[in-house]
């Protein structure tokens, strides 16, 4: 037998939470595990701008032929403008380009392969903690993975520890940074902190890889790009991974991009030639539909205005849920303990709940979140925040 010695491995814990939640018969259950935005009805909606763009494509598309190795050209140009800014000097100087990928995860996978093959011997530094797939993508690509402190056991941002760790990193290594809405903690660097990180990056000649998965979900579409644009202005070289899953609601369409900033237009083309070759061996050409939707929206003034309004509404809903949960915890004497939830950004929150408390929430109250205490605040039901707060208070006694 060929397969007889192959062992079964545990399933992904977050996908396992989805199944457990679906099988729970309780009418009062909460799904705070899976990282998707939910509206007041508990649904992950298709934005109106996306529906309108899809209808236009349905009426106008004349072919389903392959797109090129770098993907939809219009998508690449428009997503670059969204990330870098319409008036970015790098765009005018032809020093930045985008390669379309199957989601932000595909962009990370392409970046990992690029680092392995084109910049051999470079280690990569990840925040502790970080999105678990960061760990597996880069380790599986054969890169040496290190970690810098980010949020400690006290559930506080450790900027000093981060800077000290990066100061000790070997020159030329790669550092992965979260542009905004840090996953899984929700704790973001301030502009002052970003300036300090930039100085270390310059001093140690590190190559930043900035994961930008949540543009628009933190402080706004332009505000969330502040650190990315700072680094692009101050450094000769930069890698950025962009995802359209959250802000366009295109989760299952797998739409993303790897952006590269180089010090000259010629060097950018050298890098892009390598990326096209690497992508050819990973997925040949990327899927079309999601990128065509994004390009349709960003290329039409009215659709873009509608989309911007929808992203802002999603951002405001998440911020309101954060404040509402902290207020709901106040009668239980827990508002100060969990005040950080209102200060964090994006969908996720490191609540500070222990694995034991998370297990009790699930067993006693059908509240589902990741064992580390990471909760998807965007999955909460605004009309039942008092119920959720009572459940948290119960396990904190």
């Amino acid at each position: 037998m060929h397969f007889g010695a192959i062992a079964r491995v545990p399933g992904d814990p977050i996908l396992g939470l989805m199944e457990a939640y679906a099988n729970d018969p309780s009418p009062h259950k909460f799904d705070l595990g899976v990282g998707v935005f939910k509206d007041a009805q508990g649904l992950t909606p298709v934005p109106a701008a996306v529906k309108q763009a899809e209808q236009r494509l349905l009426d106008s598309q004349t072919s389903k032929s392959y797109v090129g190795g770098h993907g939809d050209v219009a998508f690449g140009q428009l997503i670059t403008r969204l990330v870098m800014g319409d008036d970015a000097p790098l765009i005018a100087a032809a020093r930045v380009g985008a390669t379309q990928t199957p989601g932000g995860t595909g962009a990370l996978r392409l970046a990992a392969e690029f680092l392995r093959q084109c910049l051999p011997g470079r280690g990569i530094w990840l925040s502790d903690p970080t999105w678990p797939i960061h760990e597996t993508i880069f380790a599986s690509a054969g890169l040496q993975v290190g970690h810098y402190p980010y949020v400690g056991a006290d559930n506080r941002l450790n900027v000093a520890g981060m800077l000290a760790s990066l100061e000790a990193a070997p020159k030329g290594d790669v550092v992965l940074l979260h542009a905004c809405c840090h996953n899984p903690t929700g704790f973001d660097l301030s502009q002052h902190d970003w300036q300090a990180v930039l100085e270390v990056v310059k001093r140690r000649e590190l190559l930043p890889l900035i994961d930008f998965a949540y543009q628009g979900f933190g402080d706004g579409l332009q505000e969330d790009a502040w650190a990315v644009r700072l680094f692009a202005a101050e450094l000769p070289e930069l890698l950025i991974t962009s995802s359209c899953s959250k802000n366009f609601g295109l989760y299952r369409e797998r739409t993303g991009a790897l952006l590269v900033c180089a010090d000259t237009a010629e060097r950018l083309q050298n890098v892009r030639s390598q990326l096209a070759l690497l992508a050819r061996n990973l997925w040949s050409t990327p899927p079309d539909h999601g990128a065509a939707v994004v390009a349709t929206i960003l290329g039409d003034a009215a659709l873009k205005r509608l989309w911007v309004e929808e992203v802002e509404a999603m951002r405001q809903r998440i911020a309101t849920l954060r404040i509402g949960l902290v207020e709901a915890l106040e009668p239980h004497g827990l508002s100060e303990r969990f005040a950080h939830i209102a200060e964090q950004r994006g969908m996720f929150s490191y609540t500070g709940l222990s694995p034991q408390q998370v297990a009790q929430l699930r067993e006693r109250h059908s509240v589902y979140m990741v064992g580390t205490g990471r909760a998807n605040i965007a999955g909460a039901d605004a009309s039942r925040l008092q119920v959720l707060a009572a459940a948290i208070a119960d396990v904190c006694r």
Side-chain angles (χ1 to χ4, degrees):
M1 290 191 301
H2 296 285
F3 302 152
I6 298 176
R8 183 178 302 180
V9 298
D12 182 272
I14 296 179
L15 297 182
L17 272 181
M18 289 176 64
E19 184 177 353
Y21 173 83
N23 293 332
D24 189 332
S26 172
H28 308 297
K29 58 188 178 181
F30 286 87
D31 180 10
L32 307 182
V34 182
V36 296
F37 174 84
K38 293 186 178 181
D39 61 16
Q41 288 71 48
L43 302 174
T44 300
V46 180
V50 169
K51 295 289 284 185
Q52 292 184 33
E54 287 182 314
Q55 187 60 55
R56 289 191 193 181
L57 290 170
L58 182 64
D59 295 338
S60 64
Q61 270 193 334
T62 58
S63 176
K64 291 292 186 181
S65 184
Y66 297 114
V67 295
H70 290 292
D72 183 314
V73 174
F75 167 79
Q77 293 171 343
L78 290 163
I79 202 70
T80 299
R81 295 172 73 90
L82 180 66
V83 171
M84 304 299 293
D86 288 331
D87 57 352
L90 268 70
I91 296 176
R95 289 180 44 215
V96 57
T99 297
Q100 184 191 331
T101 59
T105 307
L108 289 163
R109 180 67 183 86
L110 182 59
E113 197 66 17
F114 170 73
L115 295 173
R116 183 181 75 84
Q117 294 202 29
C118 299
L119 298 174
R122 310 290 182 98
I124 186 165
W125 295 82
L126 310 178
S127 66
D128 181 16
T130 194
W131 185 40
I133 295 179
H134 284 153
E135 305 278 359
T136 54
I137 282 179
F138 294 104
S140 297
L143 301 181
Q144 182 67 42
V145 177
H147 298 88
Y148 56 86
Y150 194 76
V151 171
D154 59 355
N155 206 33
R156 294 178 182 273
L157 186 62
N158 183 3
V159 178
M162 175 185 182
L163 295 174
S165 182
L166 294 181
E167 195 74 69
K171 279 196 173 184
D173 269 7
V174 181
V175 54
L176 189 147
L177 302 164
H178 299 233
C180 67
C181 307
H182 184 274
N183 181 2
T185 70
F187 287 104
D188 282 350
L189 298 174
S190 68
Q191 291 189 1
H192 179 269
D193 296 335
W194 276 112
Q195 294 278 6
V197 172
L198 175 62
E199 292 309 310
V200 176
V201 165
K202 287 180 177 178
R203 218 164 22 244
R204 300 303 300 165
E205 299 174 10
L206 303 175
L207 174 62
L209 168 55
I210 303 183
D211 192 354
F212 200 8
Y214 303 97
Q215 185 174 3
F217 273 35
D219 293 314
L221 283 163
Q222 303 304 318
E223 294 84 349
D224 290 348
W226 186 87
V228 174
R229 295 172 186 176
L230 170 70
F231 274 52
E234 295 285 334
L235 297 170
E237 297 168 334
L238 181 63
L239 299 174
I240 307 156
T241 58
S242 174
S243 172
C244 302
S245 294
K246 274 70 177 180
N247 53 14
F248 285 90
L250 291 169
Y251 301 89
R252 68 176 63 167
E253 302 298 349
R254 311 312 301 134
T255 307
L258 174 61
L259 279 68
V260 177
C261 303
D263 63 336
T264 67
E266 182 178 0
R267 285 203 177 97
L268 174 65
Q269 294 309 313
N270 294 343
V271 171
R272 283 174 61 77
S273 72
Q274 295 285 349
L275 293 177
L277 179 61
L278 294 170
R280 176 68 170 165
N281 290 308
L282 288 172
W283 49 71
S284 186
T285 59
D288 169 70
H289 182 71
V293 168
V294 172
T296 301
I297 293 170
L298 296 181
D300 181 274
L303 277 182
K304 185 177 180 181
R305 279 195 300 272
L306 174 59
W307 172 72
V308 168
E309 291 171 2
E310 291 184 287
V311 174
E312 179 61 16
M314 289 190 282
R315 188 188 73 82
Q316 290 285 359
R317 172 174 164 76
I318 296 170
T320 300
L321 286 169
R322 287 184 174 280
I323 295 169
L325 179 55
V326 174
E327 290 175 348
L329 287 162
E330 187 170 2
H332 304 280
L334 293 173
S335 60
E336 185 174 343
R337 174 175 170 178
F338 290 99
H340 59 271
I341 291 176
E343 298 165 4
Q344 294 163 338
R345 292 291 182 270
M347 297 167 63
F348 300 118
S349 171
Y350 241 35
T351 60
L353 294 167
S354 70
Q356 294 77 19
Q357 290 169 325
V358 170
Q360 290 169 357
L361 276 173
R362 176 175 167 178
E363 292 161 6
R364 298 182 195 171
H365 303 283
S366 294
V367 175
Y368 290 80
M369 67 176 69
V370 180
T372 58
R374 187 206 80 172
N376 174 26
I377 299 298
D381 180 349
S383 68
R384 295 195 297 136
L385 290 179
Q386 289 77 15
V387 177
L388 178 57
I392 292 172
D394 177 53
V395 303
C396 288
R397 290 193 181 98

